[in-house]
Amino acid sequence: MSKQTLLMISIELPYPANSGGRVKSWNMLKYLTNHYSVALACPLKYGEEHLTEFSQSVDLEELLYEKVEEPRSPKNLVKSYLKAIPLNVLRSGSKKLKERIAEIANDYEIILIDHYEAAQYIPNHFRGKVIFHAHNATYLMWDRYGKEGNNWVMRTIANCEAKRVAKFESDICRRSDLFFASPNDIDNLSKIGADTNIARETYHLGDDTQLALPSIRFEETEKRLLYVGTLSWEANVDGLLWFIDHVWPEIKANNPNLILDIAGGNPAKRLVDRVAQIQDIHLLGFVDDLEPLFKRSRVFVAPLTFGSGIKVKVLNSMCRGLPISTTSVGAEGIDADHLTHLCIDDSAADMANSIDRLLHDQRLWETLEQKSRERVREKYTWDKVLGFMVNEINLLSA
């Protein structure tokens, strides 16, 4: 019996899987190829040097891509207004790729849109089923930044972008026969008109192979905090700067030998400049193997003040069992309780107090180490999440 045919359209090459979104897209793509005849189409924003390795690592019927280089700039922001589309839709667009997809679209029974920006590539004449995989309720991220950001110019731009993205996300939800999102994102998308009857739950996950690793031992860790994330992403930069300015001084005063390690590529200049002024905070750059950092650190920090969707950095640390201090934004969408699975605090004083407790209270530390891994085993493994996704797609196609 021949497999169903599926065309996945993403906004970037999902390889190497070195960010939360690419981790989900990469695992999803590999899993789908076990069940369908899959083609992938994407604008190539980066990673040209990885194309051969990527093609050898996944069994695709066809790979379509076109190089796209559209920076986040005032000029492109103006262009996006003239075209009446969100900035990131403009930055992900390729006329030539749209033409190539239009030529082959009806050779496939299903088009799976990965990220809302990829919806621009659905040809009007496509006759099959459309499935939308929402990485976030992205409009909400812009909306929150419009309320919480430090720069009034950026807040104004963010408020306008929130409205434009909301319309675009609402349109793709209405165009779809089925859409997948995390539970909190389904709720937020429903507020802009998405039909929850065609919504199905999915999750962004960490590296669940870490569940097989032995537990980290409190007495073998150092007084170190660890942060891992893409350091050009505004939500990460803003949260780290808030942490450095408002939380770090209080913890450091009580723990003079404390060190904060920040792992991640492409740090924003204002983060580099701020870190250069402070002792014992280290920018490590992109780190390929995080295991040595996890094993020596005592607390993982995820101080997010805005954003949307499940945060892979948080689930990844839960997988490894490194106790986490985060905010309600960082814990959003994860079934986790304060002081059982995570420490969840929104004020600087409360976060500093929780981190100080984790640095010294071995019993609390071990509770979070054990309970966080148990929760991941129960609810957040790739086999469970992707198996459910394939089952729902098959029911739609039946």
Side-chain angles (χ1 to χ4, degrees), residues 97-110:
L97 184 59
K98 289 176 185 177
E99 291 171 350
R100 294 182 67 191
I101 290 172
E103 291 172 0
I104 67 164
N106 281 314
D107 295 337
Y108 294 88
E109 297 161 276
I110 301 165

Side-chain angles (χ1 to χ4, degrees), residues 188-253:
N188 288 318
L189 289 168
S190 72
K191 294 174 183 176
I192 58 172
D195 181 2
T196 56
N197 291 318
I198 63 166
R200 301 292 184 270
E201 292 184 1
T202 189
Y203 301 92
H204 282 60
L205 304 182
D207 178 8
D208 62 6
T209 64
Q210 294 183 111
L211 293 171
L213 296 174
S215 294
I216 299 170
R217 298 176 62 84
F218 178 90
E219 59 270 21
E220 294 175 359
T221 63
E222 304 170 19
K223 274 196 174 181
R224 284 179 179 265
L225 309 182
L226 175 63
Y227 178 93
V228 178
T230 302
L231 301 181
S232 58
W233 183 241
E234 184 58 35
N236 291 343
V237 176
D238 187 83
L240 274 171
L241 290 172
W242 172 80
F243 181 86
I244 290 168
D245 289 339
H246 300 287
V247 183
W248 175 256
E250 185 172 345
I251 314 169
K252 185 66 171 173

Side-chain angles (χ1 to χ4, degrees), residues 310-382:
I310 286 180
K311 313 305 182 294
V312 171
K313 62 174 67 69
V314 174
L315 276 177
N316 215 34
S317 296
M318 290 177 69
C319 278
R320 190 60 193 93
L322 180 60
I324 301 162
S325 170
T326 190
T327 59
S328 56
V329 173
E332 189 174 34
I334 301 173
D335 184 7
D337 298 321
H338 179 52
L339 297 180
T340 300
H341 308 99
L342 311 170
C343 287
I344 307 170
D345 299 293
D346 288 324
S347 76
D350 288 343
M351 179 171 281
N353 181 64
S354 288
I355 291 173
D356 196 63
R357 284 189 65 186
L358 288 172
L359 289 172
H360 298 96
D361 187 340
Q362 183 170 349
R363 185 173 180 179
L364 174 63
W365 191 97
E366 289 175 346
T367 294
L368 267 64
E369 188 274 333
Q370 293 163 11
K371 295 295 185 182
S372 63
R373 299 187 98 187
E374 287 175 7
R375 180 50 49 92
V376 171
R377 287 189 182 95
E378 290 168 6
K379 299 195 67 169
Y380 302 112
T381 63
W382 285 114

